[in-house]
Amino acid sequence: MTLDQLRVFVAVAERQHVTRAAEALNLAQSAVSTAIAALEGRHGAKLFHRVGRGIELTEAGSLFLAEARAVLARAEAAELVLAELGGLKRGTLVVEASQTIASFWLPRHLVAFRRAHPGIDIRLTIGNTAQVATAVRSGAAELGFVEGSVDDPALLSRPVARDQLIIVVGPEHPWAGRADVTPEQLFESDWVLREAGSGTRAVFEQALAAFGLASGSLRVALELPSNEAVRAAVEAGLGATALSASVAASSIEAGLLCPVPIPLPERAFHVLHHAERYRSHAAERLLALIAGG
């Protein structure tokens, strides 16, 4: 198989649409279809289900997607190493970040990097903390940004910023506007939480343990895979949640959410890098920009 075939496969898998993938790659739709057919035919594996006008990854396709991303990332990293001999004039830096970081903290740093080095493209993907760690470990991303530390001997981790976690409820919730809520009362409400594996969920459960409370005793009504979905569910009146203060700020200002006076600990944003892989000058420059504010 070729790198071009892998790029086509990843583009189709990410968009779940042949035409949109062809447009993104500036290729004819027939060329995209031919590349996918060649991969499937050569290896005797069906990568996509054709459902009506849409397509969905098969189980084999889902497994192959992670490997294809990792191969492309390593190829781009190799190209970046050579490109850096020309002084950060061209190349691609692959970064993966957890949702809170990717949506609310990292973008301004990426903009600053892009202005300083317009020839270096940054490819950002989003996952939860566990997924980010996996991407860096496999080589699918050179740098990963996560909420909290990751205990993995293959990865180097260091803090790069601080963030505050807070508990919030909708304006009709019994806790809204109260001056005092005790940790023991947390069991009286339904909860909407991020999925297991997310940094926000992990830090909240650590805070409960510090209060001497068992997180498994909470009445978890919904587990949702994004901050935006969690925030919307609580705004609609379903229980309480724990979110980054930066995620909740606009909703609190608009009166859609109310902070609950139970202090939660600050958490650190960490950057992850593989302990045994070369760290590019582009990655070093991005980290220097972040350190400089």
Side-chain angles (χ1 to χ4, degrees):
M1 68 183 67
T2 68
L3 288 176
D4 284 340
Q5 287 175 331
L6 293 182
R7 290 188 184 97
V8 168
F9 166 72
V10 170
V12 174
E14 291 179 341
R15 292 163 180 81
Q16 297 190 27
H17 201 282
V18 172
T19 301
R20 286 197 287 270
E23 291 171 350
L25 295 169
N26 197 27
L27 293 174
Q29 183 173 330
S30 58
V32 171
S33 298
T34 298
I36 297 299
L39 279 175
E40 292 180 326
R42 179 178 179 83
H43 301 283
K46 205 71 173 173
L47 300 175
F48 295 99
H49 295 297
R50 276 68 177 180
V51 182
R53 293 187 174 184
I55 57 174
E56 299 174 357
L57 283 168
T58 62
E59 182 178 358
S62 296
L63 294 172
F64 183 53
L65 178 59
E67 299 300 328
R69 282 174 169 160
V71 170
L72 290 175
R74 295 304 299 152
E76 288 166 346
E79 183 182 18
L80 184 57
V81 170
L82 295 178
E84 287 175 342
L85 297 175
L88 289 178
K89 292 181 179 177
R90 63 182 180 84
T92 301
L93 175 63
V94 184
V95 175
E96 184 152 345
S98 58
Q99 289 189 18
T100 300
I101 292 174
S103 300
F104 296 92
W105 176 79
L106 189 58
R108 65 186 177 90
H109 297 296
L110 299 185
V111 169
F113 179 90
R114 181 68 178 177
R115 286 172 176 164
H117 305 289
I120 304 294
D121 294 327
I122 293 186
R123 183 153 59 82
L124 173 66
T125 54
I126 300 175
N128 64 31
T129 294
Q131 291 165 339
V132 173
T134 297
V136 176
R137 191 186 313 110
S138 70
E142 181 175 354
L143 295 178
F145 292 91
V146 297
E147 304 139 33
S149 60
V150 172
D151 185 15
D152 188 327
L155 303 178
L156 299 176
S157 172
R158 64 180 175 87
V160 289
R162 306 292 297 178
D163 180 55
Q164 181 66 54
L165 206 65
I166 62 174
I167 295 174
V168 291
V169 296
E172 303 301 320
H173 193 281
W175 296 344
R178 283 182 54 175
D180 181 52
V181 177
T182 66
E184 291 73 20
Q185 289 176 298
L186 296 179
F187 296 115
E188 298 174 2
S189 176
D190 289 332
W191 286 82
V192 182
L193 297 177
R194 286 287 307 278
E195 78 286 1
S198 75
T200 297
R201 176 74 172 264
V203 172
F204 179 53
E205 291 180 345
Q206 289 165 12
L208 292 177
F211 290 138
L213 305 176
S215 60
S217 299
L218 286 181
R219 301 203 313 256
V220 180
L222 279 179
E223 290 187 355
L224 297 172
S226 75
N227 292 322
E228 291 75 13
V230 169
R231 184 176 60 189
V234 176
E235 287 175 359
L238 183 57
T241 193
L243 287 174
S244 165
S246 59
V247 174
S250 60
S251 294
I252 292 174
E253 185 176 350
L256 299 174
L257 290 177
C258 301
V260 176
I262 294 181
L264 297 181
E266 278 192 338
R267 59 180 175 175
F269 290 163
H270 282 72
V271 62
L272 306 178
H273 181 262
H274 199 286
E276 297 180 351
R277 291 198 176 103
Y278 169 82
R279 190 155 71 193
S280 67
H281 295 322
E284 295 284 5
R285 181 57 183 153
L286 175 59
L287 294 177
L289 284 171
I290 290 172

